Each structure stands twice: as C-alpha cells, then as structure tokens.
Amino acid sequence: MQNTIHGLIKKRGEIAGQHKAAAKALDALKADLDAIDRALVLCGYEDDPKAIAPRGKYKQLFGRNELKLTIINMLREAPADDEAIAAQIIASKGWGDDVHADVLKRVRHAIQRQQKDGHVVQDFGPDGCLWKLAP
C-alpha cells in the first residue's frame, strides 16, 4: 500500500507542476491579448476587440501542388466524381474517415480551380457527373 501512496504522491506532484506551468502560460497569453486590445484602441479600432473570433490553426494536409497533381493523375486513369477522388486520396494516404469532409471540401475547391484554368471538364454521361481531363 505504501508503494501505491508514494506513486500517487509523485504523480500528483507532476500534474500540479504541469498545472502551474499551464496557468503561467495562460496568464502570459491573457497579458498579450490585453496589450493587443490596447494597441487596437490606440490605432483607432472602434469595435470591441473581445468580439474578434478566435482562430484555429490551419491543418496542412497536402504539400505545394500535391492535391492538384494527385487529382490530375487520377483523372488520367479514368473519369471520376469528387467523392471517389476524395475517397481514393484518403485510402492512399492511409487516413481515417475523420478527415473525409475536409478532404472532400479541398478536392471540390481544387477541381473548381482546375475547371476555371481549363484543365478539367465535367462529363455528364450515364454514370452521372464525372470529372475528366480537358481534351
């Protein structure tokens, strides 16, 4: 029983140290926000700075031109719809279904950009709306 108590005391001390460090970091972030809020007011910002929505980090899934080139290579093999392209990318990367909506959104945007550039066209055939490389 003494070993258990000793282990719990040690673990509590570790967690208390992490909590103290996190609280210190939180105080520093609050001070930074207050300083930025004051600077905004000094620069003439008239709205409430606290109303500015917090931003999350951008999750980079693809390298430069990687998505565009992947889509083009897939369409070289056969016409496909955006759902199939997204599913194939997720499978080839070994990702789970938790990123499906994000990848599908990015695939659709990439296809629309490629359509504007004239690289891909829609093919309205018996299989529905498929994307294929422009002739």
Side-chain angles (χ1 to χ4, degrees), residues 33-34 36-37 40-41 45-55:
L33 280 174
D34 290 340
I36 291 171
D37 290 349
L40 282 169
V41 170
Y45 187 75
E46 295 178 3
D47 294 332
D48 182 18
K50 290 181 180 18
I52 299 171
R55 293 176 40 183

Side-chain angles (χ1 to χ4, degrees), residues 10 34 122:
K10 181 180 176 186
D34 290 340
Q122 287 180 317

Side-chain angles (χ1 to χ4, degrees), residues 8 31 40 51 56 81 85 94 125:
L8 289 171
L40 282 169
D81 66 345
I85 293 170

Side-chain angles (χ1 to χ4, degrees), residues 9-122:
I9 290 171
K10 181 180 176 186
K11 188 64 174 177
R12 191 195 188 292
E14 291 173 4
I15 292 174
Q18 291 173 354
H19 180 267
K20 187 175 181 179
K24 193 174 184 178
L26 177 65
D27 290 340
L29 289 172
K30 282 183 181 179
D32 290 346
L33 280 174
D34 290 340
I36 291 171
D37 290 349
R38 287 190 303 274
L40 282 169
V41 170
L42 286 173
C43 291
Y45 187 75
E46 295 178 3
D47 294 332
D48 182 18
K50 290 181 180 18
I52 299 171
R55 293 176 40 183
K57 294 226 177 209
Y58 177 75
K59 186 176 176 183
Q60 183 172 351
L61 297 176
F62 303 100
R64 183 176 174 93
N65 289 328
E66 179 183 3
L67 181 59
K68 174 184 170 183
L69 295 174
T70 302
I71 292 170
I72 289 173
N73 288 334
M74 287 180 181
L75 294 179
R76 278 189 184 128
E77 295 173 13
D81 66 345
D82 50 2
E83 290 272 350
I85 293 170
Q88 191 173 348
I89 290 172
I90 291 170
S92 68
K93 292 273 195 178
W95 294 333
D97 287 334
D98 56 328
V99 296
H100 179 75
D102 192 18
V103 171
L104 180 60
K105 179 181 170 185
R106 293 176 193 215
V107 164
R108 286 179 174 159
H109 286 136
I111 289 174
Q112 288 172 357
R113 284 191 305 271
Q114 291 180 30
Q115 183 183 25
K116 284 181 186 176
D117 294 342
H119 296 120
V120 298
V121 294
Q122 287 180 317

Side-chain angles (χ1 to χ4, degrees), residues 1-11:
M1 193 64 150
Q2 285 292 60
N3 288 338
T4 303
I5 292 173
H6 177 71
L8 289 171
I9 290 171
K10 181 180 176 186
K11 188 64 174 177

